[in-house]
Amino acid sequence: MLTPEQTETIKNQLIEKVASIFPEDKQDFAIDQIKSMNSEELEDFLKKNDIALQQGTQKCIFCSIVSGDLPSYKIEENANAIAVLEINPVSKGHTLIIPKKHIHSIDNVPKSIQKFSEKISKKLKLKLNSKKVDLIFSELMGHQIINVIPVYENENINSEKSKASEEELKSLIETLSKKETKKTPPKKLTITKEKTPEKLWIPKRIP
Ligand SMILES: [Zn+2]
């Protein structure tokens, strides 16, 4: 059983979370629902929605992306990390490699994730025709990530970020998820002339 204090704290956490979970027009309704729950109903609600209780700490944004609580534009995924498009990129195709575990320091980023980053960087270079691709570690809320930045001119991690439109991001996902199609040499065209029967000119019969 939750104590009244716990119930209150959790309700407040949920209400904060509502903004990121529910569409705007349903937020008020959801908030009212949460406020009206008693502690039993609240516990039930948490169980049904598989929401883990976080005591006091704000959930890390990257962990939320990994768990799917926050929407993202995913390029690829393996057992240890996911690659998603940065929605405020410094260059076209700017990608974030997010370790699935909340890893604090560069030293703890496993080799497999570095390899995964290199794979993604090759893919970006090939598909987007950038001059090169830089891999840069950065960290937010204590979660270590790797920026994969295609460089077309001289963009870098400190370049100005600009919000990418949904269309841009979707078309990038499409470009990047296209399978490599092997170029098959065009088939030799053999031109065969169809023999047309010679037309016979028949003189009109003169009666
Ligand atoms: Zn995290």
Side-chain angles (χ1 to χ4, degrees):
M1 266 297 266
L2 297 164
T3 66
E5 291 80 37
Q6 281 174 321
T7 307
E8 216 37 52
T9 317
I10 293 165
K11 277 187 181 181
N12 287 335
Q13 285 177 357
L14 278 174
I15 288 167
E16 264 174 50
K17 227 179 159 185
V18 160
S20 64
I21 298 178
F22 290 90
E24 228 165 285
D25 56 325
K26 299 211 171 98
Q27 286 178 12
D28 286 345
F29 178 74
I31 290 171
D32 283 344
Q33 290 276 301
I34 293 167
K35 280 185 181 161
S36 69
M37 282 180 211
N38 62 33
S39 66
E40 268 170 35
E41 287 166 337
L42 181 64
E43 243 178 315
D44 205 39
F45 172 85
L46 295 173
K47 268 187 211 148
K48 278 191 184 136
N49 290 283
D50 198 20
I51 298 172
L53 305 181
Q54 309 132 31
Q55 302 306 342
T57 52
Q58 204 195 344
K59 202 176 181 190
C60 159
I61 182 168
F62 298 127
C63 287
S64 300
I65 290 174
V66 170
S67 67
D69 285 346
L70 281 180
S72 66
Y73 292 87
K74 199 191 289 176
I75 300 177
E76 239 183 275
E77 173 169 11
N78 74 5
N80 301 316
I82 62 170
V84 301
L85 290 174
E86 163 68 272
I87 52 172
N88 295 302
V90 295
S91 73
K92 184 181 155 197
H94 181 176
T95 297
L96 307 177
I97 308 292
I98 308 176
K100 287 185 177 173
K101 282 187 188 154
H102 190 90
I103 296 172
H104 291 273
S105 122
I106 299 178
D107 303 332
N108 295 332
V109 175
K111 277 252 160 63
S112 71
I113 293 181
Q114 297 186 29
K115 271 199 186 142
F116 180 61
S117 309
E118 277 157 27
K119 182 185 162 200
I120 298 292
S121 96
K122 276 184 193 148
K123 187 181 202 168
L124 291 175
K125 185 169 185 294
L126 186 76
K127 302 247 178 173
L128 302 176
N129 276 319
S130 61
K131 274 200 298 197
K132 59 172 183 159
V133 175
D134 284 343
L135 292 178
I136 292 141
F137 282 88
S138 68
E139 173 260 329
L140 193 70
M141 298 167 116
H143 197 136
Q144 194 64 237
I145 61 158
I146 303 168
N147 290 266
V148 187
I149 301 177
V151 179
Y152 304 92
E153 302 207 352
N154 47 19
E155 302 91 337
N156 61 60
I157 188 77
N158 297 316
S159 298
E160 202 188 326
K161 292 185 163 192
S162 55
K163 195 168 163 51
S165 71
E166 205 181 310
E167 269 165 39
E168 274 175 85
L169 295 166
K170 277 184 181 159
S171 96
L172 265 171
I173 290 282
E174 213 167 281
T175 310
L176 295 169
S177 61
K178 256 184 212 149
K179 285 254 156 62
E180 243 8 78
T181 45
K182 275 182 196 157
K183 276 183 188 157
T184 46
K187 276 185 192 157
K188 260 188 195 163
L189 284 177
T190 50
I191 299 164
T192 52
K193 255 191 187 164
E194 223 173 281
K195 273 181 190 161
T196 48
E198 273 168 65
K199 266 183 189 155
L200 286 177
W201 181 76
I202 305 163
K204 268 185 187 162
R205 235 201 254 176
I206 296 152

